[in-house]
Amino acid sequence: MASRGDTRQRIQDVALELFAEKGYEKTSLREIAERLDVTKAALYYHFKTKEDILMALFQSLGAPLDELVEWGKRQPRTLEMKKELLARYSQALQGAAALFRFMQENQATIKDLSLGETFKNRMFAMVDLLRDEDGSLEDQVRCATALFSIHAGLFALKDMDATPEEKQKAVLTVAQELIVAAHHGA
Amino acid sequence: MASRGDTRQRIQDVALELFAEKGYEKTSLREIAERLDVTKAALYYHFKTKEDILMALFQSLGAPLDELVEWGKRQPRTLEMKKELLARYSQALQGAAALFRFMQENQATIKDLSLGETFKNRMFAMVDLLRDEDGSLEDQVRCATALFSIHAGLFALKDMDATPEEKQKAVLTVAQELIVAAHHGA
DNA sequence: GTCTATATAGTGATAGAC
DNA sequence: GTCTATCACTATATAGAC
């Protein structure tokens, strides 16, 4: 049997592929169905609406980040923990590249689906774990920048001549520097 | 007369509003026309297609950044110039907040309209003005992060209790620090 | 669990009158 | 420069057979 109970998962896989490639709005259910070699109606058996597919994707892709935030909340708020959090975040991004591509491509859609809040909250939760509420404005910026530098860095180094490991290491170094600087300021 | 030759501009204004609010795809020409209290067909007098509206917006909003890049190219590549570039960029962002909101909301669309390349090139051109090609990977990351920290910082400080001027200053301080650090590394 | 067939509605775009 | 009217198309979604 080609398809067991994995059809739902296969739909998610193909949908992620297409949503990340051409955006949610521009991807039609017809396309998804065709690529899976099933019919549109079949999709409706597994998901009540097109939005449902998006929500399911969002949840399953975001889970690792949620776990990371949860992990962080259980730790003491030391400098070491913050450095470790950045390292884990950097690691998580490698696996979740699809999520972020997907998120970025579909920001507009995600926004008015309550998902926007969810995602923003996740980011803010992450920044909150890094920052000291009583720090200076500059230090707040350093903490936020530490997190985003991981994205910016990987983006900027995309065309550079180095191994992924070297790049990841360089990016993490800069991110952790920023956290250390913020910590000293406090 | 309510509308002179400013109709084209009014269309752009409303379109920007809507595109930034709910995304390009989800905004219909009907909506734009209704909000302007004209008919869909009237839009087609001023713009050949829906995409044309997007392109016009993109160009006029991006012009200040293009000018900044041009300015940068005419300067000697000193540390002082880089700090000044960041300051001007930070300044430009205040006025171009709409552009960036708009860009972020419509990434997916922008990508397959050649606009994606244009925008990416602009960003890369900016980073290129900041970085030293022979610097270490870490320094490359510092330069890219300097630029993006201006975005990240403003985002992170959004809910903070400070005046816009204070926030801008704090963000710029951190960005310039990163450039100085990269410069020392070289 | 997957199909065919269809309902319903909205889209971008065009032609041509005023 | 703006209108009415309409086109061709695609979309999401549903009903009901197999």
Side-chain angles (χ1 to χ4, degrees), chain A residues 29-40:
Chain A
L29 295 180
R30 181 178 53 74
E31 280 175 293
I32 298 175
E34 272 174 8
R35 191 173 288 202
L36 278 168
D37 209 44
V38 298
T39 61
K40 258 197 313 180

Side-chain angles (χ1 to χ4, degrees), chain A residues 150-175:
Chain A
I150 296 180
H151 298 264
L154 288 178
F155 170 74
L157 296 184
K158 217 181 307 182
D159 297 329
M160 294 281 297
D161 187 26
T163 68
E165 288 76 23
E166 286 172 330
K167 291 179 184 177
Q168 192 181 357
K169 184 159 168 290
V171 166
L172 186 55
T173 299
V174 175

Side-chain angles (χ1 to χ4, degrees), chain B residues 115-132:
Chain B
L115 296 180
E117 279 307 304
T118 308
F119 185 73
K120 218 179 72 180
N121 288 345
R122 245 204 300 257
M123 284 318 240
F124 268 115
M126 202 77 99
V127 174
D128 272 338
L129 289 171
L130 292 174
R131 82 169 145 201
D132 181 342

Side-chain angles (χ1 to χ4, degrees), chain A residues 28-30 40 44 49-50:
Chain A
S28 67
L29 295 180
R30 181 178 53 74
K40 258 197 313 180
Y44 278 97
T49 69
K50 188 187 179 187

Side-chain angles (χ1 to χ4, degrees), chain B residues 82 131-136 139-140 142-143 179-186:
Chain B
K82 292 176 184 177
R131 82 169 145 201
D132 181 342
E133 290 86 1
D134 300 326
S136 63
D139 282 337
Q140 309 278 340
R142 286 187 188 98
C143 292
I179 275 295
V180 171
H183 202 259
H184 284 162

Side-chain angles (χ1 to χ4, degrees), chain B residues 64-81:
Chain B
L65 293 184
D66 278 332
E67 285 165 26
L68 185 51
V69 170
E70 286 312 310
W71 173 87
K73 283 182 179 165
R74 290 193 306 268
Q75 307 302 312
R77 297 171 61 94
T78 63
L79 177 58
E80 283 314 308
M81 166 277 206

